Amino acid sequence: MDKSHIKAQATREANLAARTALYQEQTTAKRVARLALQRVTENPEATPEQLLEAARLLAELAH
């Protein structure tokens, strides 16, 4: 392979690594948010407004 092919391959590999890292970061953030919102919905002292907002945010995270 010539230099341009080697450089292109390195770029593809770097882009894949960056996409993978971003996906893992987003997945972790969503998991943490879901757990926090789940704690609100399970809290017997949560107000109806808090429950409604938690439910709305959980539905938004599902998409």
Side-chain angles (χ1 to χ4, degrees), residues 19-40:
R19 282 192 308 270
T20 301
L22 178 62
Y23 174 77
Q24 289 174 341
E25 182 180 319
Q26 290 172 337
T27 300
T28 300
K30 286 181 180 181
R31 184 179 301 122
V32 168
R34 275 196 309 270
L35 289 172
L37 292 170
Q38 185 177 356
R39 278 188 238 125
V40 171

Side-chain angles (χ1 to χ4, degrees), residues 1-12:
M1 287 197 294
D2 63 5
K3 285 183 180 182
S4 64
H5 286 105
I6 293 170
K7 184 176 179 182
Q9 181 63 31
T11 300
R12 284 191 292 274

Side-chain angles (χ1 to χ4, degrees), residues 42-56:
E42 293 173 351
N43 182 356
E45 296 179 11
T47 66
E49 292 82 14
Q50 290 171 327
L51 293 172
L52 184 60
E53 181 66 10
R56 185 187 69 76

